Amino acid sequence: MLPNKKGKFGIFGGKFAPETLIEPLEELENSYKKISKTKEFRKKLNYLLNEYAGRPTPLYYAENFSKYVGFKVYLKREDLAFTGAHKINNTLGQVLLAKMMEKKRIIAETGAGQHGVATATSCALLNMECVIYMGEIDVERQKLNVYRMKLLGAKIISVSSGSKTLKDAINEAMRDWITNFKTTHYVIGSVVGPHPYPMIVRNFQSIIGKETKKQIMKKEKKLPDYLIACVGGGSNSIGLFYPFYKNKEVKFIGVEGGGLGINTDKHSATLSKGEKGILHGSFSYILQDNYGQIKETHSISAGLDYPGVGPEHAFYKETKRAEYFAVDDKTALKGFHILSELEGIIPALESSHAIGWLIENKERFKKDDIVVVCLSGRGDKDVMEVAKIEGEI
Ligand SMILES: *Cc1c(COP(=O)(O)O)cnc(C)c1O
């Protein structure tokens, strides 16, 4: 199964890292291979996922929404996982792994703060020192999550280099890791970065697809026709898709942040509009200008606002295993409202992109199609932002 020994998904992925990063990456790969297979690790992680994080999450038949679009829609309720999104699946896995590697200190990057909060939560639980790198602009924009992380015992380092946002926070975290890897593990928050990260994060997030498979077989006695999920770095989507990879009859659809429209320069539709290139140690699609510099991105949802995407998605796109579309901010807002009104579920703005795409494209589907949408997170974090945009406050 992919990736191969070099961490390649076809031509994508790999380990385009400076010499000094190769040693910690190899140590991580070897430890992951050894530790993740042990009974002790599996038992502990299962316990944490089930008893602490509230798994398995429901696969909920959204009857009202199904009537509205005209076919059967199930929601995989990652919004009900502890801390309100799928990110906890990965952070519990990685922090537990680090602990069993006898590391004492955890570092992570965060943009909006969702991955930072999930990491700080896992560190509080597993008694690890926690340092979160965050762009200066994001620290200002996301005060509530900054305070949350502090409450959980994490230290926040504000990054003032470059564009002072997520990609610069990743650069700083990598620098820290190179210096301190003997004691420190770097928890990356999505299926990006150099090998083995895209593989490790995918494997931890695959719990989403594995549960979905069991649940849909129980409810429908057959596999779904479509799996749909939003794509930022690509972890909730690959987590849903991967366990169905060999089930060719199950179609995969990824939805990116179309921002103000993919023909403007304010979007984060990496697979739809990007080119092949290298970012953060991995060969994939990226948004770059004519000089190869990384472009500034925009999305109404912070979680989709990233100029790169996981290499496994680039591979799925190239081999046509999955299709990728972009949805603009306005359509995402429509999805946000309609799901709230019809089901009483306020989705995260990220997840609202998948919902919005489904609404806009409902004519593509047949009446007896079964569609599973990954509801990657809950929308409470976005309510203030939406109210401001819509002039309610
Ligand atoms: C971070 C986040 C995303 C985007 O990240 P992926 O790695 O693409 O899953 C999507 N939804 C929510 C709720 C998030 O917090």
Side-chain angles (χ1 to χ4, degrees):
M1 270 324 261
L2 292 170
N4 70 11
K5 277 193 193 128
K6 291 182 174 162
K8 290 287 189 83
F9 303 89
I11 61 169
F12 299 103
K15 204 186 282 177
F16 294 87
E19 207 71 36
T20 42
L21 209 67
I22 299 299
E23 195 186 335
L25 287 170
E26 283 182 352
E27 188 206 18
L28 175 60
E29 186 179 349
N30 294 333
S31 306
Y32 172 74
K33 275 190 186 147
K34 241 194 276 158
I35 294 171
S36 67
K37 283 197 198 107
T38 63
K39 230 193 209 147
E40 187 192 354
F41 179 83
R42 285 165 175 245
K43 216 174 129 189
K44 277 188 180 158
L45 183 57
N46 268 337
Y47 178 81
L48 295 177
L49 289 171
N50 297 341
E51 302 294 318
Y52 184 72
R55 304 206 69 88
T57 59
L59 182 70
Y60 167 70
Y61 173 49
E63 196 177 345
N64 299 334
F65 185 72
S66 296
K67 276 197 190 118
Y68 174 78
V69 289
F71 45 88
K72 264 189 168 169
V73 180
Y74 284 86
L75 303 174
K76 182 56 176 162
R77 300 286 309 271
E78 293 303 294
D79 61 318
L80 295 178
F82 183 48
T83 69
H86 65 291
K87 291 203 166 72
I88 195 84
N89 304 330
N90 171 46
T91 58
L92 284 174
Q94 283 200 50
V95 176
L96 180 64
L97 174 68
K99 203 171 172 72
M100 291 177 70
M101 287 168 72
E102 293 174 357
K103 306 286 178 193
K104 304 284 175 236
R105 181 172 172 266
I106 294 293
I107 57 173
E109 83 291 342
T110 199
Q114 296 302 109
H115 175 55
V117 168
T119 303
T121 301
S122 306
C123 287
L125 177 69
L126 295 169
N127 197 16
M128 299 283 263
E129 187 189 338
C130 182
V131 175
I132 306 289
Y133 285 88
M134 193 167 184
E136 197 180 286
I137 292 177
D138 292 330
V139 170
E140 193 49 45
R141 280 195 289 214
Q142 307 289 341
K143 288 198 179 108
L144 192 60
N145 273 341
V146 171
Y147 184 57
R148 253 188 208 129
M149 289 184 267
K150 284 186 183 160
L151 277 176
L152 294 163
K155 185 178 156 200
I156 317 296
I157 297 184
S158 174
V159 175
S160 54
S161 57
S163 59
K164 305 178 185 172
T165 58
L166 178 62
K167 75 174 168 58
D168 314 286
I170 296 180
N171 293 338
E172 288 302 322
M174 280 190 177
R175 241 165 253 159
D176 179 322
W177 197 38
I178 287 170
T179 318
N180 299 304
F181 74 89
K182 294 268 187 266
T183 59
T184 300
H185 172 66
Y186 175 21
V187 178
I188 290 189
S190 190
V191 285
V192 299
H195 180 64
Y197 280 105
M199 172 184 77
I200 291 179
V201 178
R202 175 201 68 197
N203 290 351
F204 286 143
Q205 290 295 0
S206 289
I207 185 83
I208 301 173
K210 281 184 200 152
E211 286 176 5
T212 299
K213 211 170 197 177
K214 268 195 215 147
Q215 291 166 319
I216 199 78
M217 285 310 288
K218 201 162 168 206
K219 287 172 200 276
E220 292 284 347
K221 313 273 181 296
K222 60 182 218 161
L223 294 177
D225 298 288
Y226 292 88
L227 302 177
I228 305 182
C230 65
V231 179
S235 69
N236 85 85
S237 46
I238 217 78
L240 176 65
F241 296 169
Y242 182 66
F244 293 87
Y245 183 75
K246 289 186 177 157
N247 305 107
K248 296 287 179 217
E249 71 276 22
V250 181
K251 297 177 204 71
F252 301 165
I253 291 173
V255 185
E256 301 188 293
L260 303 185
I262 55 171
N263 295 321
T264 70
D265 58 4
K266 291 210 175 308
H267 63 77
S268 40
T270 314
L271 287 159
S272 309
K273 294 291 279 189
E275 295 161 38
K276 295 181 184 106
I278 291 172
L279 176 64
H280 296 135
S282 178
F283 183 65
S284 184
Y285 277 79
I286 56 176
L287 290 168
Q288 56 191 345
D289 67 18
N290 292 338
Y291 302 97
Q293 294 299 311
I294 303 306
K295 275 191 189 165
E296 297 273 318
T297 52
H298 163 82
S299 170
I300 191 171
S301 64
L304 303 188
D305 201 351
Y306 178 65
V309 68
E312 193 162 4
H313 284 292
F315 174 72
Y316 282 14
K317 176 186 161 80
E318 207 82 345
T319 55
K320 300 194 160 59
R321 181 65 187 88
E323 276 189 285
Y324 297 90
F325 300 92
V327 145
D328 63 15
D329 291 351
K330 241 164 104 186
T331 308
L333 278 174
K334 187 171 170 189
F336 182 84
H337 280 286
I338 287 180
L339 198 71
S340 301
E341 282 164 29
L342 292 181
E343 295 289 349
I345 298 170
I346 303 176
L349 279 174
E350 291 84 0
S351 329
S352 301
H353 284 70
I355 302 289
W357 185 86
L358 199 53
I359 294 169
E360 293 280 289
N361 291 278
K362 57 182 201 260
E363 310 304 333
R364 286 171 172 250
F365 297 87
K366 296 195 297 283
K367 197 173 150 285
D368 58 354
D369 275 342
I370 297 171
V371 176
V372 174
V373 179
C374 187
L375 203 71
S376 56
R378 64 170 187 227
D380 307 46
K381 68 182 178 60
D382 299 314
V383 167
M384 279 294 272
E385 180 72 14
V386 173
K388 254 189 232 161
I389 291 168
E390 296 181 340
E392 294 285 336
I393 304 179

Short mmCIF file of all heavy atoms in Angstrom, two decimals, residues 3 16 32-33 57 63 66 109 151 176 204 210 212 222 231 241 246 250 296 302 313 325 339 367 371 377:
data_model
loop_
_atom_site.label_atom_id
_atom_site.label_comp_id
_atom_site.label_asym_id
_atom_site.label_seq_id
_atom_site.Cartn_x
_atom_site.Cartn_y
_atom_site.Cartn_z
N PRO A 3 2.08 5.09 1.10
CA PRO A 3 3.18 5.43 0.20
C PRO A 3 4.23 4.31 0.12
O PRO A 3 4.23 3.41 0.94
CB PRO A 3 3.79 6.67 0.87
CG PRO A 3 3.56 6.44 2.34
CD PRO A 3 2.22 5.75 2.41
N PHE A 16 11.56 16.17 1.02
CA PHE A 16 12.41 17.24 0.53
C PHE A 16 12.81 18.15 1.68
O PHE A 16 12.35 19.27 1.81
CB PHE A 16 11.68 18.02 -0.57
CG PHE A 16 11.45 17.18 -1.80
CD1 PHE A 16 10.31 16.38 -1.91
CD2 PHE A 16 12.39 17.15 -2.81
CE1 PHE A 16 10.11 15.58 -3.02
CE2 PHE A 16 12.20 16.35 -3.94
CZ PHE A 16 11.06 15.56 -4.04
N TYR A 32 7.53 4.91 14.69
CA TYR A 32 6.10 4.74 14.35
C TYR A 32 5.84 3.31 13.90
O TYR A 32 4.88 2.67 14.34
CB TYR A 32 5.68 5.73 13.26
CG TYR A 32 4.29 5.47 12.75
CD1 TYR A 32 3.18 5.79 13.51
CD2 TYR A 32 4.08 4.84 11.52
CE1 TYR A 32 1.89 5.52 13.07
CE2 TYR A 32 2.80 4.56 11.06
CZ TYR A 32 1.71 4.90 11.84
OH TYR A 32 0.44 4.62 11.39
N LYS A 33 6.72 2.81 13.03
CA LYS A 33 6.53 1.45 12.51
C LYS A 33 6.52 0.43 13.63
O LYS A 33 5.72 -0.50 13.64
CB LYS A 33 7.63 1.12 11.50
CG LYS A 33 7.27 1.64 10.12
CD LYS A 33 8.23 1.10 9.08
CE LYS A 33 7.97 1.74 7.72
NZ LYS A 33 9.22 1.89 6.97
N THR A 57 -17.95 8.16 16.51
CA THR A 57 -18.91 9.24 16.28
C THR A 57 -20.06 8.68 15.44
O THR A 57 -19.84 7.75 14.64
CB THR A 57 -18.26 10.40 15.52
OG1 THR A 57 -17.75 9.92 14.27
CG2 THR A 57 -17.11 11.02 16.33
N GLU A 63 -32.33 13.18 7.52
CA GLU A 63 -33.57 12.96 6.77
C GLU A 63 -34.10 14.25 6.15
O GLU A 63 -34.49 14.27 4.96
CB GLU A 63 -34.60 12.34 7.70
CG GLU A 63 -35.76 11.74 6.94
CD GLU A 63 -36.76 11.03 7.85
OE1 GLU A 63 -36.42 10.76 9.03
OE2 GLU A 63 -37.88 10.78 7.38
N SER A 66 -31.84 15.34 3.40
CA SER A 66 -31.97 14.40 2.29
C SER A 66 -33.19 14.74 1.43
O SER A 66 -33.13 14.74 0.20
CB SER A 66 -32.10 12.96 2.80
OG SER A 66 -30.93 12.58 3.47
N GLU A 109 2.27 23.50 15.19
CA GLU A 109 1.90 24.77 14.57
C GLU A 109 0.40 24.90 14.62
O GLU A 109 -0.31 23.88 14.70
CB GLU A 109 2.37 24.80 13.11
CG GLU A 109 1.42 24.11 12.11
CD GLU A 109 1.34 22.59 12.25
OE1 GLU A 109 2.25 22.01 12.87
OE2 GLU A 109 0.36 22.00 11.75
N LEU A 151 -5.03 27.98 28.98
CA LEU A 151 -5.74 27.29 30.05
C LEU A 151 -5.31 25.83 30.14
O LEU A 151 -5.23 25.26 31.23
CB LEU A 151 -7.25 27.31 29.79
CG LEU A 151 -8.05 28.54 30.20
CD1 LEU A 151 -9.49 28.39 29.76
CD2 LEU A 151 -7.98 28.75 31.71
N ASP A 176 12.62 24.61 15.37
CA ASP A 176 12.68 24.15 16.77
C ASP A 176 12.97 22.65 16.79
O ASP A 176 13.84 22.18 17.54
CB ASP A 176 11.34 24.46 17.45
CG ASP A 176 11.27 24.01 18.91
OD1 ASP A 176 11.82 22.94 19.22
OD2 ASP A 176 10.65 24.72 19.73
N PHE A 204 -3.87 7.74 11.39
CA PHE A 204 -4.65 8.09 12.59
C PHE A 204 -6.04 8.60 12.23
O PHE A 204 -7.01 8.34 12.95
CB PHE A 204 -3.90 9.14 13.44
CG PHE A 204 -2.72 8.57 14.19
CD1 PHE A 204 -1.55 9.32 14.34
CD2 PHE A 204 -2.77 7.30 14.76
CE1 PHE A 204 -0.46 8.81 15.03
CE2 PHE A 204 -1.68 6.78 15.45
CZ PHE A 204 -0.51 7.54 15.59
N LYS A 210 -13.03 3.99 8.59
CA LYS A 210 -13.25 2.62 9.09
C LYS A 210 -14.59 2.53 9.80
O LYS A 210 -15.36 1.59 9.57
CB LYS A 210 -12.13 2.23 10.06
CG LYS A 210 -10.85 1.81 9.36
CD LYS A 210 -9.83 1.34 10.40
CE LYS A 210 -8.42 1.38 9.82
NZ LYS A 210 -7.41 1.59 10.88
N THR A 212 -17.12 4.57 9.39
CA THR A 212 -18.17 4.82 8.40
C THR A 212 -18.54 3.54 7.65
O THR A 212 -19.71 3.25 7.43
CB THR A 212 -17.71 5.90 7.40
OG1 THR A 212 -17.46 7.11 8.12
CG2 THR A 212 -18.75 6.16 6.33
N LYS A 222 -24.99 -1.94 2.24
CA LYS A 222 -24.12 -1.75 1.08
C LYS A 222 -23.26 -0.51 1.28
O LYS A 222 -23.53 0.31 2.15
CB LYS A 222 -24.93 -1.65 -0.21
CG LYS A 222 -25.92 -0.50 -0.25
CD LYS A 222 -26.68 -0.55 -1.57
CE LYS A 222 -26.90 0.84 -2.06
NZ LYS A 222 -27.21 1.18 -3.33
N VAL A 231 -11.47 19.93 1.94
CA VAL A 231 -10.02 19.71 1.89
C VAL A 231 -9.28 21.00 2.20
O VAL A 231 -9.35 21.97 1.46
CB VAL A 231 -9.59 19.22 0.48
CG1 VAL A 231 -8.07 19.01 0.43
CG2 VAL A 231 -10.31 17.95 0.09
N PHE A 241 -11.77 8.84 3.09
CA PHE A 241 -11.61 8.14 1.80
C PHE A 241 -10.78 6.84 1.91
O PHE A 241 -11.13 5.84 1.30
CB PHE A 241 -10.87 9.03 0.79
CG PHE A 241 -11.58 10.31 0.37
CD1 PHE A 241 -10.89 11.28 -0.36
CD2 PHE A 241 -12.91 10.54 0.70
CE1 PHE A 241 -11.52 12.46 -0.77
CE2 PHE A 241 -13.55 11.72 0.32
CZ PHE A 241 -12.85 12.68 -0.43
N LYS A 246 -9.85 0.88 -2.15
CA LYS A 246 -9.96 -0.25 -3.08
C LYS A 246 -11.38 -0.51 -3.55
O LYS A 246 -11.59 -1.30 -4.47
CB LYS A 246 -9.39 -1.51 -2.43
CG LYS A 246 -7.88 -1.45 -2.31
CD LYS A 246 -7.31 -2.75 -1.79
CE LYS A 246 -5.80 -2.68 -1.75
NZ LYS A 246 -5.26 -3.66 -0.76
N VAL A 250 -17.04 3.28 -5.04
CA VAL A 250 -17.32 4.41 -4.14
C VAL A 250 -16.54 5.62 -4.65
O VAL A 250 -15.31 5.61 -4.70
CB VAL A 250 -16.89 4.07 -2.69
CG1 VAL A 250 -17.19 5.25 -1.76
CG2 VAL A 250 -17.57 2.80 -2.21
N GLU A 296 -0.29 34.25 -1.12
CA GLU A 296 -1.20 34.47 0.00
C GLU A 296 -2.53 33.82 -0.37
O GLU A 296 -2.98 33.91 -1.52
CB GLU A 296 -1.45 35.97 0.20
CG GLU A 296 -0.22 36.76 0.57
CD GLU A 296 0.04 36.78 2.06
OE1 GLU A 296 -0.95 36.92 2.81
OE2 GLU A 296 1.21 36.64 2.45
N ALA A 302 -10.84 29.41 8.29
CA ALA A 302 -9.40 29.39 8.57
C ALA A 302 -8.78 28.02 8.29
O ALA A 302 -7.65 27.92 7.84
CB ALA A 302 -9.16 29.79 10.01
N HIS A 313 -3.56 13.40 -1.89
CA HIS A 313 -4.64 14.00 -2.68
C HIS A 313 -4.16 14.34 -4.09
O HIS A 313 -4.90 14.17 -5.06
CB HIS A 313 -5.18 15.27 -2.01
CG HIS A 313 -6.06 14.99 -0.84
ND1 HIS A 313 -7.30 14.41 -0.96
CD2 HIS A 313 -5.88 15.20 0.49
CE1 HIS A 313 -7.86 14.29 0.24
NE2 HIS A 313 -7.02 14.76 1.14
N PHE A 325 -13.25 19.93 -6.29
CA PHE A 325 -13.96 21.13 -6.72
C PHE A 325 -13.71 22.22 -5.68
O PHE A 325 -13.32 21.94 -4.56
CB PHE A 325 -15.46 20.86 -6.80
CG PHE A 325 -15.82 19.78 -7.78
CD1 PHE A 325 -15.93 18.45 -7.36
CD2 PHE A 325 -16.02 20.07 -9.12
CE1 PHE A 325 -16.24 17.44 -8.26
CE2 PHE A 325 -16.34 19.06 -10.03
CZ PHE A 325 -16.45 17.75 -9.60
N LEU A 339 -27.97 23.73 6.65
CA LEU A 339 -27.85 22.59 7.57
C LEU A 339 -28.33 22.98 8.97
O LEU A 339 -28.98 22.18 9.65
CB LEU A 339 -26.41 22.06 7.62
CG LEU A 339 -26.35 20.64 8.19
CD1 LEU A 339 -26.93 19.63 7.20
CD2 LEU A 339 -24.94 20.24 8.57
N LYS A 367 -31.83 9.61 -7.39
CA LYS A 367 -32.70 9.53 -6.23
C LYS A 367 -32.26 8.45 -5.22
O LYS A 367 -32.40 8.63 -4.02
CB LYS A 367 -34.13 9.25 -6.71
CG LYS A 367 -35.20 9.55 -5.70
CD LYS A 367 -36.59 9.40 -6.33
CE LYS A 367 -37.64 8.97 -5.32
NZ LYS A 367 -37.59 7.57 -4.92
N VAL A 371 -25.04 9.11 -0.11
CA VAL A 371 -23.91 10.02 -0.01
C VAL A 371 -23.51 10.17 1.46
O VAL A 371 -24.37 10.41 2.31
CB VAL A 371 -24.29 11.40 -0.59
CG1 VAL A 371 -23.16 12.40 -0.41
CG2 VAL A 371 -24.68 11.29 -2.06
N GLY A 377 -16.34 19.34 11.63
CA GLY A 377 -16.31 20.04 12.91
C GLY A 377 -17.58 20.83 13.16
O GLY A 377 -18.40 21.02 12.26
#
